[in-house]
Amino acid sequence: MKWLWVWLIPLLFLLCGCRSEPAVGEQVIVTGMGIDKQDGVWTLAIQAVEALKTAGSLSEQNESATAVYTADGASVAEALQAFLNETGKRTYILQNQIFVLSERLCRQQSVFDVLDYFMRNQEGRALVDVVVSHDAPAALLDITTGSDAIPAEYLSQLLDEGRRYARAAEAHLLDIERASSGMYDLLLPRIAVTNGVPQLEGTAVLRNGVLCDILTQQETTGMLLAGGDSDRCLYTIDDITFLVSDMHRRLTVESVGGTWRYRIALTGVARVMEQQPTMEGSTIQPEKALQHVEIAIATTAETALRRTATQDHSDPFGLSRRTATLFRHRGVTQAMVYEQLPHSRIHVTTQLSLRH
Amino acid sequence: MLLLASRLSHCLLLTPDSIATLNLTDRIGTTVLGGVLLFALFLPTLLVLRRHPQRGIIDCAYQHSRCCGRVVCGGYAALGIFIVCLDILQFCDFAEKVMSSGLSVTALAIALVAVAFVATFYGIQALGRTAALVTAFASVCLLVFAFALIPEMDVVHFPPTVGQGAGAVVRCALEELPRTAEVVVIGMIYPYVRGSQSRAVAAFCGGTVLLTLLVYLTAGGVLGDFALQTAYPYYTAVTAARIGVFQRMDILITAVWLSTFFIRMTLFCLLFTDSTRRLFGMRGARYAVGIVFVLLAVFSWAVRRGFLSEAGYPITVVYWIVLGVFCVVLPLLLWGLNRIKRRRCV
């Protein structure tokens, strides 16, 4: 039985090795990718790490360690091929951190089609951020920041911080994939570049993947709190800044005369972060200001939810799916609720307790 | 553990074909029912072997008559090869769609079959010990992935139940059940089971239900309806797992799947080699293994990719026939013959 060691030989075939992998010099490491389309021509903006600029510590660099390349083509795949033809380098997208889609493109075409190439591609990651850019994607990817040598990292941090305080909707490539199955509609964070500085500028509402509305920053906060996507926010009212946290949402659905009534009750805790005297020099009681915060959150959330449901006919929180789950014993389906959604009534109430 | 490791390889490849008839929420009920039916399938074999815990089903057949033993051996050998062929198809499909190693899928499949056949010479006990390690590692991985994916899960992802009634759930469980081909192997490994055989079988059924539920809940909670649009939903869900700075841990699940798949393939190769050894002796079995290995290599090379998904229903029917013959008809037949023989002796 000594000959049995030969079983190790077939095992060699199972080792992956580096035989067919391209060398580092033959590819660009993509950190951000912008997609735009005009007159039927797709334009890709590829933010890639420049090998020569990364010598030394990235944190000590004064300028961006990346360069932005552009490539055109009849499709995303062709534009990537054109990039390969022009530069002689392949794109390595595993390190990609963000997809920037132009607002114009999102109004024309479904994001499911726009990102189809990347949804099929197994080389990327599922948790890549996706944003809508008010400006051309290349302009957003080409920003220079003092804090980060890689602009895509800066944008990711901006989005992370925005999500923590209900200023930006969470949208990854995985969310686009999930939404493509028709479970719910999408909310994408919107970023605009003002004087070379990127800023969160509300939220893009999509219906079946196509951009149909833009929510303001305040509406975004109300919407994300009401949707249960965020549990904290900063609110400045009557010269007092509150940190609203530990927000809990309770959703109840009732069937009223063939349509649906949604009641969303928000409860949370508010702490005074900062209090400034008013212009007249007097101070306002935090308890009184807190009532204004409650009303402001409820009003903005209600406005945003009603607008997305009734005007935009969009369902970003899967209300139709939740309703179908609750009323399945009556034979209610998701499609039926989705059709009735524009006629439904939505009420939001907020109750905050003040903690000193 | 051996059967559970083998079962895991099928469980991890939660394919849209197997979840199309009912959605993932309804599948939870189906899985529990499937566990009960699975235990019921073991009962005839346990019935015939309970009086002789030191014997396998082939020994029982030989005890009745030499001819009967030979027929049963031939049947088990053919069954082993049939399941190895299906496993090769499954491996090729997964390797082409997911692994993208750049190597020839056929070469990989042949290497795997070769290693599986050689591993059979180490015996069922060595395989059992390996399976225990693999099952423990796989179970830990499944739990870790489930916890890591909690941030990506949402109740809304679970589709509303279709409400087709209990009939649909039972039908779906009956469609899924025959894919648990491990049931037929119990007749072979019965003498090697430590402790109570019934408890071991119950533990296997319970473990299968728990691990399948974990896979369904993870894939359903993360992907929702999107699970129906992907080739391997559980694998796709795991690509989104993130633990600290570690991402793209799908390589880990690929490794786990390959380990469990190796156990499954070796188990059914062992079924073949054990049966042929009883038929032709040690020397004859070696020749048989050599010939079958060449045939399987040709099969890996010649078979059309995508055959497995195209022939889903006919394969389920064949599985049912196989299960019916080896798990119900054969054990009950042997039990009846033994009973008649005993009465005559009395």
Side-chain angles (χ1 to χ4, degrees):
Chain A
M1 296 295 273
K2 283 180 182 173
W3 61 272
L4 279 180
W5 62 269
V6 294
W7 72 278
L8 285 169
I9 295 171
L11 268 184
L12 292 175
F13 286 100
L14 301 176
L15 298 175
C16 56
C18 308
R19 195 171 59 93
S20 59
E21 295 304 315
V24 175
E26 293 170 5
Q27 54 191 353
V28 290
I29 298 165
V30 178
T31 51
M33 196 168 273
I35 309 175
D36 200 355
K37 187 183 179 185
Q38 202 167 12
D39 302 326
V41 178
W42 292 81
T43 304
L44 285 189
I46 297 167
Q47 185 194 82
V49 174
E50 289 287 278
L52 290 176
K53 290 183 181 176
T54 54
S57 170
L58 282 175
S59 59
E60 289 168 7
Q61 294 197 349
N62 293 324
E63 58 178 24
S64 173
T66 57
V68 176
Y69 304 90
T70 54
D72 294 337
S75 65
V76 171
E78 282 206 13
L80 280 171
Q81 189 62 40
F83 174 77
L84 174 66
N85 293 341
E86 283 170 27
T87 60
K89 293 186 177 186
R90 293 182 193 182
T91 48
Y92 179 71
I93 61 168
L94 187 62
Q95 297 297 327
N96 184 25
Q97 293 188 33
I98 193 165
F99 283 112
V100 181
L101 313 178
S102 81
E103 206 171 296
R104 174 179 50 203
L105 172 62
C106 292
R107 284 188 194 279
Q108 290 171 19
Q109 200 159 352
S110 164
V111 291
F112 309 138
D113 301 333
V114 171
L115 291 170
D116 184 64
Y117 175 85
F118 300 101
M119 285 176 359
R120 289 169 190 268
N121 196 320
Q122 287 177 11
E123 288 177 12
R125 286 177 295 150
L127 298 180
V128 181
D129 290 313
V130 182
V131 297
V132 169
S133 171
H134 174 66
D135 313 280
L140 183 57
L141 291 173
D142 209 15
I143 53 165
T144 307
T145 65
S147 55
D148 285 280
I150 297 173
E153 268 180 18
Y154 173 81
L155 292 173
S156 282
Q157 284 163 15
L158 182 75
L159 289 166
D160 279 344
E161 206 56 25
R163 280 173 206 137
R164 275 192 61 179
Y165 289 96
R167 299 185 71 238
E170 183 158 8
H172 295 127
L173 190 61
L174 180 66
D175 294 294
I176 311 273
E177 290 176 332
R178 290 192 281 220
S180 70
S181 65
M183 288 195 288
Y184 39 70
D185 286 313
L186 273 171
L187 292 176
L188 294 182
R190 181 172 174 262
I191 300 183
V193 182
T194 312
N195 300 325
V197 180
Q199 286 181 339
L200 292 167
E201 290 274 345
T203 302
V205 181
L206 290 91
R207 182 181 59 232
N208 297 329
V210 180
L211 197 151
C212 60
D213 200 0
I214 303 283
L215 298 178
T216 64
Q217 200 56 57
Q218 283 219 325
E219 285 171 339
T220 300
T221 303
M223 182 88 171
L224 295 177
L225 292 176
D229 281 6
S230 291
D231 72 338
R232 62 171 62 192
C233 68
L234 281 174
Y235 234 99
T236 303
I237 212 157
D238 298 335
D239 299 310
I240 301 177
T241 303
F242 289 98
L243 171 66
V244 178
S245 61
D246 303 320
M247 291 290 275
H248 290 285
R249 185 192 70 156
R250 187 158 179 262
L251 171 73
T252 47
V253 189
E254 292 167 45
S255 171
V256 183
T259 61
W260 306 98
R261 182 191 286 159
Y262 297 95
R263 291 178 193 277
I264 297 170
L266 298 172
T267 52
V269 176
R271 291 181 185 84
V272 177
M273 298 292 286
E274 188 181 350
Q275 186 168 12
Q276 299 286 340
T278 58
M279 296 290 280
E280 296 83 34
S282 60
T283 52
I284 293 172
Q285 288 298 313
E287 287 80 3
K288 200 170 182 182
L290 192 63
Q291 288 177 356
H292 294 172
V293 173
E294 287 175 345
I295 294 167
I297 290 176
T299 311
T300 50
E302 208 169 275
T303 311
L305 280 168
R306 278 186 188 164
R307 215 169 84 200
T308 50
T310 57
Q311 186 183 310
D312 306 330
H313 198 170
S314 173
D315 182 17
F317 295 121
L319 288 177
S320 51
R321 198 171 169 87
R322 287 176 207 271
T323 311
T325 306
L326 289 171
F327 290 88
R328 64 181 181 277
H329 56 281
R330 289 196 204 168
V332 174
T333 63
Q334 190 182 340
M336 282 161 60
V337 185
Y338 191 78
E339 281 302 311
Q340 292 166 345
L341 210 55
H343 312 293
S344 58
R345 293 174 222 171
I346 298 168
H347 300 285
V348 183
T349 55
T350 311
Q351 196 176 9
L352 299 172
S353 56
L354 189 65
R355 290 247 177 102
H356 296 283
Chain B
M1 283 293 188
L2 185 59
L3 297 187
L4 198 56
S6 169
R7 180 65 194 150
L8 257 175
S9 72
H10 177 76
C11 180
L12 290 173
L13 294 188
L14 170 69
T15 54
D17 295 338
S18 68
I19 54 179
T21 44
L22 278 183
N23 66 38
L24 278 172
T25 314
D26 290 325
R27 279 273 163 176
I28 291 167
T30 304
T31 308
V32 177
L33 180 65
V36 177
L37 292 174
L38 189 62
F39 186 77
L41 264 182
F42 277 109
L43 290 178
T45 314
L46 292 179
L47 183 74
V48 74
L49 295 178
R50 74 188 164 131
R51 284 184 180 273
H52 312 285
Q54 301 305 318
R55 288 179 186 166
I57 203 122
I58 296 176
D59 298 312
C60 283
Y62 267 107
Q63 189 196 0
H64 181 69
S65 74
R66 193 178 165 82
C67 176
C68 178
R70 281 180 171 271
V71 170
V72 172
C73 270
Y76 269 114
L79 174 68
I81 292 308
F82 169 68
I83 292 176
V84 169
C85 285
L86 289 181
D87 285 350
I88 288 172
L89 287 173
Q90 187 69 76
F91 175 80
C92 292
D93 192 64
F94 186 80
E96 275 189 349
K97 286 179 181 162
V98 172
M99 287 164 71
S100 59
S101 63
L103 286 172
S104 159
V105 171
T106 308
L108 282 173
I110 293 171
L112 197 65
V113 174
V115 174
F117 266 121
V118 174
T120 59
F121 286 98
Y122 286 88
I124 196 162
Q125 283 153 335
L127 187 65
R129 284 193 291 273
T130 314
L133 288 174
V134 167
T135 310
F137 180 65
S139 306
V140 169
C141 281
L142 287 181
L143 276 174
V144 168
F145 288 137
F147 280 113
L149 285 165
I150 284 175
E152 294 300 328
M153 291 185 197
D154 197 331
V155 178
V156 80
H157 291 158
F158 289 100
T161 52
V162 181
Q164 289 173 347
V169 173
V170 173
R171 197 169 56 243
C172 196
L174 290 175
E175 276 176 26
E176 190 60 28
L177 187 64
R179 291 175 191 274
T180 314
E182 289 77 20
V183 189
V184 294
V185 189
I186 189 72
M188 183 182 75
I189 63 170
Y190 193 85
Y192 301 97
V193 177
R194 267 194 220 155
S196 162
Q197 279 87 351
S198 310
R199 273 190 207 159
V201 166
F204 164 68
C205 296
T208 302
V209 170
L210 284 179
L211 291 173
T212 310
L213 278 180
L214 197 60
V215 168
Y216 278 145
L217 288 173
T218 310
V222 173
L223 300 179
D225 288 356
F226 182 60
L228 301 176
Q229 296 174 15
T230 56
Y232 294 104
Y234 184 70
Y235 175 84
T236 307
V238 168
T239 56
R242 180 160 59 179
I243 302 173
V245 294
F246 298 104
Q247 291 189 43
R248 282 302 301 254
M249 286 182 291
D250 44 307
I251 186 71
L252 201 58
I253 206 69
T254 308
V256 167
W257 180 75
L258 266 178
S259 317
T260 56
F261 189 76
F262 170 72
I263 299 287
R264 180 184 165 90
M265 213 172 217
T266 309
L267 184 63
F268 286 101
C269 286
L270 193 65
L271 186 68
F272 172 77
T273 50
D274 204 44
S275 306
T276 46
R277 204 169 52 232
R278 302 292 291 270
L279 269 177
F280 310 118
M282 194 65 189
R283 196 180 172 84
R286 280 187 186 167
Y287 286 119
V289 165
I291 292 165
V292 165
F293 172 69
V294 172
L295 289 175
L296 285 175
V298 173
F299 176 79
S300 323
W301 171 74
V303 74
R304 194 160 52 86
R305 307 287 185 247
F307 174 79
L308 199 61
S309 51
E310 286 166 18
Y313 183 70
I315 287 174
T316 306
V317 173
V318 173
Y319 260 131
W320 255 122
I321 295 169
V322 164
L323 279 197
V325 170
F326 286 93
C327 297
V328 183
V329 177
L330 178 66
L332 288 181
L333 198 69
L334 288 175
W335 179 73
L337 288 171
N338 284 343
R339 210 175 159 78
I340 293 166
K341 205 173 180 180
R342 226 179 300 135
R343 275 190 186 175
R344 277 183 189 167
C345 289
V346 170

